[in-house]
């Protein structure tokens, strides 16, 4: 947007669909033209701070900030969003936070750091469980285990991308304690988060590698690249693959231990 150096959080008023209008803005401190970077918001060498994804829940928004980690923003007054807290784990970890999913009633956020480079040529990308019971002082309490296998040698990206981005965050409770995560060439992974301090992998589905190219990927090896996931109220799992299109699945693994 004019007047800003990076992408920001726009709240749109869609009450008149034929005439959407700006209702509110929030941006990373220091990314507005002429604004100095305050302490705690200064990128390390090679880092890039901008807003990536937002999941609102009631009067809060959970905002993924790429190399700046995540923020919790008060949107009770949408015309004037207000920062509540900020948490950044990179460096030493790899950063590029993609999605910050709140789990209502549990005081938790699951945050994914997107893999962005091929053949594991990047920092340590994780999926974090963040305790937000005291929202002014969020704390990471665990990270998901990394899938085991020769994925770094398979080509293209290996690492986290996305969990189901529910804008009706309360629907997350219907899925219980099994959380699904896309992992590029490691396919779809299923994790039991009934004990948020000890997430456990309980299943996976890796599509076969494609035999021809459908998507816009560069002309490199034909490798599955599972990118996004949604789960509907029937329990059907929809995954998109950058080379395959859409797969529809149903989870048949063990139930959560809780």
């Amino acid at each position: 947007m004019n007047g800003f150096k990076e992408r920001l959080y726009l709240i749109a008023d869609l009450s008149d669909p034929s005439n959407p209008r700006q209702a509110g803005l929030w941006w990373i401190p220091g990314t507005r033209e002429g604004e100095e970077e305050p302490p705690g918001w200064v990128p390390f060498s090679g880092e890039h701070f901008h807003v990536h994804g937002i999941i609102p829940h009631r009067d809060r928004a959970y905002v993924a900030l790429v190399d700046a980690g995540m923020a919790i923003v008060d949107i009770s007054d949408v015309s004037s969003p207000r920062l509540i807290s900020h948490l950044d784990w990179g460096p030493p970890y790899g950063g590029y936070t993609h999605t910050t999913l709140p789990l209502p009633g549990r005081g938790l956020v699951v945050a994914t750091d997107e893999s962005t480079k091929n053949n594991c040529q990047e920092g340590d990308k994780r999926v974090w469980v963040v305790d937000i019971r005291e929202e002014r002082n969020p704390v990471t309490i665990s990270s998901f285990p990394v899938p085991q296998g020769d994925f770094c040698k398979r080509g293209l990206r290996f690492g986290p991308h996305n969990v189901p981005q529910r804008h009706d965050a309360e629907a997350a409770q219907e899925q219980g304690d099994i959380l699904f995560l896309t992992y590029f060439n490691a396919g779809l992974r299923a994790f039991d988060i009934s004990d948020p301090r000890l997430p456990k992998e309980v299943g996976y589905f890796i599509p076969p590698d494609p035999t021809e190219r459908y998507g816009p990927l560069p002309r490199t090896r034909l490798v599955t690249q599972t990118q996004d996931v949604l789960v509907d109220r029937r329990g059907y799992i929809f995954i998109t693959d950058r080379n395959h299109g859409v797969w529809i699945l149903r989870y048949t693994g063990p139930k959560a231990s809780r």
Side-chain angles (χ1 to χ4, degrees), residues 1 4 6-13 21-29 31-32 49-65 71-84 100 167:
M1 294 189 69
F4 293 89
E6 298 290 353
R7 294 189 295 194
L8 48 76
Y9 175 17
L10 165 69
I11 301 173
D13 181 349
R21 64 181 185 84
Q22 178 180 308
L25 293 177
W26 182 84
W27 59 92
I28 296 175
T31 61
R32 189 171 189 171
F49 285 11
H50 66 250
V51 172
H52 190 288
I54 305 101
I55 298 182
H57 178 59
R58 296 178 182 168
D59 61 359
R60 296 292 186 264
Y62 301 87
V63 188
L65 303 175
I72 302 175
V73 176
D74 182 342
I75 54 172
S76 55
D77 177 359
V78 296
S79 67
S80 184
R82 180 179 61 85
L83 178 68
I84 295 173
T100 44
H167 291 275

Side-chain angles (χ1 to χ4, degrees), residues 67-241:
D67 293 331
M70 64 166 279
I72 302 175
V73 176
D74 182 342
I75 54 172
S76 55
D77 177 359
V78 296
S79 67
S80 184
R82 180 179 61 85
L83 178 68
I84 295 173
S85 59
H86 169 230
L87 178 64
D88 186 6
W89 42 81
Y93 290 93
Y96 213 94
T97 304
H98 183 282
T99 303
T100 44
L101 173 70
L103 300 181
R106 299 190 64 181
L108 300 172
V109 164
V110 174
T112 67
D113 288 347
E114 180 182 357
S115 171
T116 59
K117 298 186 182 299
N118 295 340
N119 305 309
C120 301
Q121 299 302 301
E122 57 188 336
D124 186 0
K125 298 297 179 77
R126 294 282 176 142
V127 179
W128 301 97
V129 181
V130 182
D131 186 328
I132 60 164
R133 289 175 297 170
E134 174 43 78
E135 63 179 359
R136 294 169 299 175
N137 187 35
V139 178
T140 54
I141 58 173
S142 66
S143 65
F144 285 20
V146 177
Q148 298 300 299
D150 62 348
F151 298 108
C152 287
K153 298 178 182 178
R154 294 191 68 221
L156 300 183
R157 299 192 208 182
F158 165 61
H161 187 248
N162 212 357
V163 290
Q165 296 189 49
R166 297 170 180 81
H167 291 275
D168 174 11
E170 289 177 340
Q173 298 297 69
E174 297 184 9
Q175 190 174 303
D177 290 315
I178 303 297
L179 188 70
F180 298 98
L181 166 70
T182 55
Y183 227 93
F184 286 115
N185 71 15
L188 178 75
R189 320 302 291 199
F191 292 90
D192 178 349
I193 58 169
S194 54
D195 180 352
R197 292 171 180 78
L198 191 64
K200 298 183 296 185
E201 186 172 82
V202 291
Y204 62 87
F205 172 82
I206 304 175
D209 287 336
T211 56
E212 58 182 301
R213 186 169 309 287
Y214 296 99
L217 294 178
R219 296 187 179 278
T220 55
R221 295 175 61 184
L222 286 168
V223 178
T224 191
Q225 291 283 270
T226 304
Q227 183 148 343
D228 289 296
V229 55
L230 289 172
V231 182
D232 72 12
R233 295 178 186 275
R234 299 168 295 179
Y236 288 4
I237 306 162
F238 299 81
I239 60 172
T240 61
D241 191 285

